[in-house]
Amino acid sequence: MFTSQPGETDNQWQLPTETRAVRAENQAALLRRWEIARVLDDTDPRIVARWFPGQRDLLERLSVYSEDEVKAAADCLCPLFTIALLEGHPAPGSKPFATVDPYELANREEVFMALCVRLDAIRTDMEKGCILHDLTASEAGTLSSSTPHQLKDLAASPGMTLNLSASDQYFSAVLAGNMTVGERTRLAFMSKKGRANFR
């Protein structure tokens, strides 16, 4: 599941859809955080704590790197972020609360796309999808029975954000020097944080 082949970057369209989806999610999520990191000193700490929980250290780290370096760190076949469908979240189909806040709208879009990635993965292979994305059987069941509209409602639930599953060790290593996609993938998988960190 976490192996890479020669020419993997140039031939990424030959990779399975779920693998390309992981790479796309990693890049979009890290670049979003890099954009925030560039103006971190001017950003209300409450915004950082609300929409990027437990990720201030990551933001500070990303602030000193270039866009190309951040993209390289994101080029990994293991998800760098996870979603925990915590107890108390409204069930799919509940009415989303109204919002006009741009940070909240961006978070909804990020979470919705991440839920779609996980739904596609478990529909392709339930067992591998759960392992890859750290999903419980209950969470997989909720996702697999959800329609796109219900996923949008779920993405609007209070407290739904992407949690950082990649460890400090991962970012220290990949941002410090050149590593292959395979090396980044193995490091991310072996050093990722346990789900207990998000509960």
Side-chain angles (χ1 to χ4, degrees):
M1 185 190 306
F2 301 104
T3 58
S4 56
Q5 301 297 327
E8 55 199 347
T9 300
D10 293 336
N11 300 320
Q12 61 175 312
W13 291 107
Q14 298 178 12
L15 295 170
T17 300
E18 62 270 20
T19 301
R20 297 200 309 271
V22 167
R23 294 175 100 167
E25 176 184 294
N26 286 343
Q27 182 171 117
L30 273 191
L31 285 178
R32 179 175 174 237
R33 284 152 181 77
W34 177 70
E35 292 286 353
I36 294 294
R38 296 170 68 194
V39 294
L40 188 59
D41 290 341
D42 300 321
T43 303
D44 189 332
R46 292 172 296 181
I47 290 176
V48 174
R50 173 67 180 88
W51 302 115
F52 307 97
Q55 299 173 43
R56 187 172 185 88
D57 287 347
L58 172 65
L59 296 178
E60 292 178 348
R61 187 190 297 270
L62 293 178
S63 67
V64 301
Y65 289 95
S66 69
E67 181 176 358
D68 286 342
E69 288 171 321
V70 173
K71 286 181 178 179
D75 194 10
C76 170
L77 308 188
C78 177
L80 301 179
F81 295 86
T82 189
I83 296 178
L85 305 185
L86 304 178
E87 183 179 353
H89 280 176
S94 61
K95 184 178 180 180
F97 54 97
T99 178
V100 293
D101 180 78
Y103 290 100
E104 186 165 355
L105 292 176
N107 183 75
R108 284 191 184 194
E109 178 66 18
E110 181 175 80
V111 171
F112 173 69
M113 294 305 297
L115 291 173
C116 290
V117 168
R118 283 148 184 77
L119 176 58
D120 183 66
I122 60 177
R123 284 182 173 171
T124 300
D125 188 308
M126 176 67 77
E127 183 177 1
K128 288 183 178 179
C130 287
I131 293 173
L132 180 62
H133 292 287
D134 288 328
L135 296 170
T136 65
S138 176
E139 289 170 332
T142 297
L143 291 178
S144 63
S145 62
S146 298
T147 67
H149 288 295
Q150 289 173 326
L151 291 182
K152 282 192 173 183
D153 288 348
L154 186 57
S157 300
M160 284 291 285
T161 60
L162 289 190
N163 298 301
L164 182 65
S165 59
S167 66
D168 292 339
Q169 177 188 354
Y170 174 82
F171 288 104
S172 296
V174 301
L175 291 170
N178 293 327
M179 296 179 69
T180 67
V181 174
E183 289 169 339
R184 288 192 291 269
T185 299
R186 286 188 290 274
L187 178 59
F189 184 65
M190 296 300 296
S191 64
K192 67 181 179 179
K193 302 173 184 177
R195 283 182 59 99
N197 290 275
F198 315 120
R199 293 190 177 279

